[in-house]
């Protein structure tokens, strides 16, 4: 990956914050990954309903990861390559590795769902460990994107250009996937980020879509968090 270390230093020293296409969605991914891993770790593999519910959560996480990879491949990597050829090479290769890991984990998850009683405890522990390693690698992967990739983007694109790329990416996401994103993104943002995102959504999305977003998010906010959001957005109490 052709990353100029001087650019990284200049980004770190920049006084004004820049448009960060990774920040929000990566908070969502970290929250979803951690929550799913904890669910696998505490799962009663002998309880058929619980085993079905938890394995379904793992499969949903894997589907979301697959979709996220595709969004970055389709929108962010072309932007990197357009103005810094080679900049996305290392991460693009890791994306290919992640696709293979997702397939393997999905097969392992399905196998646990169908596992004979005697093998369930060992299969559940094996899935927990495999998922842990997948998540650990993803955490490191996201850090590189948030630092090295942002350094390239910020050095070569204006904020207006980055917003245009981000808006095109968001416009490509189906409504049901967007609601899933919001459920995991908004509750795990800080109050300023949360208000900015929903404020922008209210300004640009149809009123029913904004109302649906609030309905999805509210159960996952504390009363204090909801009050702060309401005050920031001027929502009726």
């Amino acid at each position: 990956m052709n990353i100029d270390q001087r650019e990284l230093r200049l980004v770190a020293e920049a006084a004004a914050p820049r448009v960060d296409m990774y920040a929000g969605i990566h908070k969502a991914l970290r929250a979803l990954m951690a929550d799913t891993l904890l669910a696998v770790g505490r799962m009663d593999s002998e309880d058929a309903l619980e085993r079905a519910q938890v394995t379904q959560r793992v499969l949903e996480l894997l589907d979301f990861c697959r979709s996220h990879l595709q969004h970055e491949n389709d929108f962010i990597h072309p932007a990197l390559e357009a103005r810094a050829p080679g900049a996305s090479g290392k991460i693009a290769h890791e994306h290919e590795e992640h696709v293979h890991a997702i397939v393997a984990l999905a097969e392992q998850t399905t196998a646990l769902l169908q596992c004979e009683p005697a093998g369930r405890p060992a299969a559940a522990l094996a899935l927990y460990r495999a998922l842990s390693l997948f998540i650990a690698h993803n955490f490191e992967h996201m850090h590189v994107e948030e630092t090295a990739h942002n350094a390239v983007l910020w050095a070569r694109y204006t904020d207006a250009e980055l917003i245009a790329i981000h808006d095109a990416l968001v416009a490509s996401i189906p409504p049901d996937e967007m609601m899933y994103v919001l459920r995991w993104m908004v509750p795990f943002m800080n109050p300023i980020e949360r208000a900015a995102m929903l404020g922008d959504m209210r300004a640009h999305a149809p009123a029913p879509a904004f109302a649906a977003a609030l309905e999805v998010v509210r159960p996952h906010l504390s009363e204090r968090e909801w009050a702060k959001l309401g005050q920031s957005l001027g929502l009726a109490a």
Side-chain angles (χ1 to χ4, degrees):
M1 179 165 47
N2 300 328
I3 300 297
D4 185 335
Q5 293 301 313
R6 185 180 62 86
E7 289 179 348
L8 283 173
R9 179 175 55 79
L10 292 175
V11 168
E13 294 173 353
R18 296 293 308 277
V19 170
D20 187 343
M21 293 189 287
Y22 291 110
I25 190 61
H26 281 183
K27 282 194 173 185
L29 277 166
R30 288 183 177 103
L32 175 58
M33 287 176 172
D35 192 72
T36 305
L37 181 63
L38 294 175
V40 175
R42 69 192 299 180
M43 173 182 60
D44 179 358
S45 62
E46 302 301 326
D47 185 318
L49 176 59
E50 189 171 339
R51 192 170 68 254
Q53 291 173 332
V54 174
T55 53
Q56 180 59 34
R57 288 178 62 181
V58 176
L59 293 174
E60 288 176 357
L61 165 64
L62 297 175
D63 283 343
F64 186 58
C65 289
R66 186 183 293 108
S67 179
H68 174 68
L69 292 175
Q70 194 60 53
H71 294 322
E72 290 189 343
N73 290 344
D74 290 345
F75 292 92
I76 299 181
H77 289 192
L80 287 163
E81 293 302 316
R83 299 187 184 177
S88 70
K90 179 178 183 296
I91 291 298
H93 177 68
E94 290 185 2
H95 279 191
E96 294 174 1
E97 294 177 341
H98 288 178
V99 169
H100 294 302
I102 287 168
V103 171
L105 279 168
E107 292 174 350
Q108 191 172 356
T109 302
T110 302
L112 171 59
L113 184 61
Q114 301 169 347
C115 189
E116 294 296 323
R120 287 172 190 162
L125 180 58
L127 176 61
Y128 176 75
R129 289 173 173 165
L131 185 61
S132 296
L133 291 175
F134 175 74
I135 291 172
H137 187 258
N138 270 269
F139 276 27
E140 293 181 337
H141 175 92
M142 287 188 281
H143 178 73
V144 173
E145 292 177 326
E146 292 166 357
T147 55
H149 277 197
N150 266 337
V152 174
L153 292 168
W154 292 342
R156 291 165 173 82
Y157 285 87
T158 66
D159 281 349
E161 289 174 318
L162 294 176
I163 290 171
I165 295 167
H166 177 264
D167 288 350
L169 189 162
V170 170
S172 74
I173 300 176
D176 57 340
E177 182 181 342
M178 180 55 68
M179 287 298 108
Y180 191 75
V181 170
L182 292 173
R183 181 264 176 270
W184 286 102
M185 182 187 294
V186 177
F188 299 101
M189 289 176 153
N190 64 47
I192 294 174
E193 294 168 334
R194 193 178 295 135
M197 179 175 182
L198 289 175
D200 182 72
M201 184 177 185
R202 180 170 59 180
H204 297 97
F210 176 67
L214 291 180
E215 187 175 344
V216 165
V217 167
R218 183 167 189 173
H220 307 288
L221 297 178
S222 69
E223 287 300 317
R224 186 170 178 79
E225 288 170 332
W226 178 255
K228 289 179 181 179
L229 179 63
Q231 184 176 17
S232 297
L233 297 179
L235 301 175

